[in-house]
Amino acid sequence: MTNETRVGILGLGAYTPERVMSNEEWSRYVDTSDEWITSRTGIKRRRVAAPDESTADLAVAAAERALADAGIGPADVDEIIVATDTPEIRFPDTASFLQHRLGTRNVSAYDLGGSGCAGWVQGLDLARSRVLTGRSRVLLVGVELLTRIMDWSDRSTCVLFGDAAGAAVVGEVDGAGEILAVDAGTDGSRADILQLEVGGTRKPVTAERVAQNLHKRLVMKGREVFKEAVHHMSESSLRVLKKTGYGVGDVDLVVPHQANLRIINAVAKALGAPSEKVFANVQDYGNTGSASVPLALRQALDEGRIREGDLVLVTTFGAGFHWASALVRF
């Protein structure tokens, strides 16, 4: 590799489970309605994994589509990164299962966990650096089965999430698909505003905590999350643009993390990006965590919202409190 090496996205793939769960269905489990959910989040429906589907199943499906889009096979993969907070099992990591299921060589494979919805874009930065240090093609997957781990009796959080997987093949490019810049950061002092407390060494899973459903109780301080998300996503986006010398007006499409429509609109407003240049599919899939951005990118490509030569800005936030943004020339 040389200083002139360009690294980018060679292929993109996504997978969503077949089952579509509408807002109306949630009234069977909690005191809510379509109007309540839509007005607060913009979400109308989400996908829910089948009982016999696991995290690895979704990851394999998205990865195979990304490999096909890149025109390569499993034998061409040099490293595997999986961003997820809903692993196949506690250990080993989901990447181990993915490596075996895909039938790649015995390459290095590992998970990025705990960074929530920012994981895939953080992984994009890591994958780019791995290519620059000798890995020709890195498979990067974001996958979540969030409906499997959440408390279905907590109406403030359960209606927000959906299941999905998205994947990219990252490697050396000849201009098209180039990752021009990435910005990422963490403010650990804000870890308390978005977390799943039970399940680690501080608060292990016990029979008493399970009886209270605390092992699935997501702590989300909504107003604080909103404020931090909008601030860091917009500021991170501006730093990425500054690194490359571009301005918001040069960007052809902004693809934010699909947490909820209010955050998406607020970030667009903070950046001064017109609505027609902001991509949203949260209404159809809900918040799919680390799968959110690659899923949105794949859909935007399929719908012709991204064309060759377009500048695409992606920006995310997640528990930690983490954030990450990237500018990609497609």
Side-chain angles (χ1 to χ4, degrees):
M1 298 293 172
T2 69
N3 292 333
E4 300 302 319
T5 299
R6 295 181 175 183
V7 180
I9 296 173
L10 302 175
L12 277 165
Y15 173 80
T16 55
E18 290 185 10
R19 185 191 168 196
V20 179
M21 184 178 184
S22 66
N23 286 344
E24 288 83 356
E25 286 188 62
W26 274 114
S27 62
R28 304 175 191 172
Y29 304 97
V30 291
D31 180 18
T32 192
S33 65
D34 174 59
E35 189 279 331
W36 191 91
I37 298 170
T38 303
S39 63
R40 287 163 176 77
T41 70
I43 299 168
K44 300 293 290 184
R45 59 196 70 83
R46 72 285 297 147
R47 298 296 180 95
V48 178
D52 62 347
E53 283 186 309
S54 67
T55 300
D57 293 325
L58 271 65
V60 168
E64 288 177 338
R65 294 175 183 183
L67 292 175
D69 190 49
I72 65 172
D76 300 309
V77 173
D78 297 298
E79 190 156 307
I80 298 171
I81 304 171
V82 176
T84 186
D85 290 322
T86 58
E88 183 79 354
I89 61 175
R90 183 69 178 270
F91 63 84
D93 50 17
T94 303
S96 300
F97 291 93
L98 180 59
Q99 180 273 331
H100 172 66
R101 293 269 301 273
L102 286 176
T104 71
R105 292 170 290 115
N106 293 339
V107 299
S108 177
Y110 48 92
D111 283 7
L112 295 179
S115 54
C117 311
W120 191 83
V121 180
Q122 287 181 320
L124 193 65
D125 194 19
L126 178 57
R128 181 178 65 155
S129 70
R130 298 300 284 162
V131 173
L132 289 172
T133 55
R135 301 299 196 273
S136 295
R137 297 179 181 90
V138 177
L139 174 63
L140 170 64
V141 179
V143 55
E144 306 290 1
L145 262 72
L146 292 164
T147 66
R148 194 71 57 83
I149 68 162
M150 66 191 187
D151 182 358
W152 283 46
S153 65
D154 181 3
R155 80 165 188 169
S156 66
T157 59
C158 68
V159 300
L160 302 176
F161 300 104
D163 303 330
V169 177
V170 178
E172 188 174 353
V173 297
D174 193 14
E178 184 182 1
I179 302 165
L180 300 176
V182 182
D183 175 81
T186 304
D187 180 2
S189 70
R190 306 267 46 207
D192 64 310
I193 67 175
L194 184 57
Q195 61 183 349
L196 184 60
E197 294 182 285
V198 173
T201 57
R202 180 190 295 182
K203 291 186 178 181
V205 174
T206 63
E208 181 181 2
R209 287 169 176 153
V210 170
Q212 299 176 63
N213 228 22
L214 295 180
H215 64 304
K216 293 186 174 184
R217 188 64 52 82
L218 178 68
V219 175
M220 181 182 291
K221 300 177 182 179
R223 290 185 179 180
E224 293 178 68
V225 170
F226 178 92
K227 180 180 178 180
E228 294 288 336
V230 173
H231 169 70
H232 287 298
M233 290 170 75
S234 56
E235 289 298 311
S236 178
S237 296
L238 292 174
R239 285 193 295 271
V240 161
L241 291 170
K242 186 176 181 179
K243 287 180 182 181
T244 60
Y246 290 106
V248 174
D250 299 311
V251 174
D252 295 290
L253 192 67
V254 179
V255 181
H257 164 51
Q258 306 292 304
N260 67 57
L261 203 54
R262 286 183 173 181
I263 289 177
I264 292 171
N265 290 338
V267 170
K269 183 178 180 180
L271 291 175
S275 58
E276 63 271 17
K277 287 191 175 184
V278 180
F279 187 84
N281 64 2
V282 66
Q283 65 277 5
D284 294 320
Y285 299 106
N287 183 346
T288 58
S290 62
S292 164
V293 166
L295 174 63
L297 287 173
R298 182 67 264 176
Q299 184 178 344
L301 281 164
D302 292 340
E303 294 179 357
R305 296 286 302 277
I306 299 175
R307 297 176 297 275
E308 185 176 350
D310 279 358
L311 271 178
V312 178
L313 174 66
V314 300
T315 183
T316 61
F317 75 92
F321 195 90
H322 301 295
W323 58 88
S325 302
L327 187 66
V328 181
R329 169 77 72 182
F330 274 84

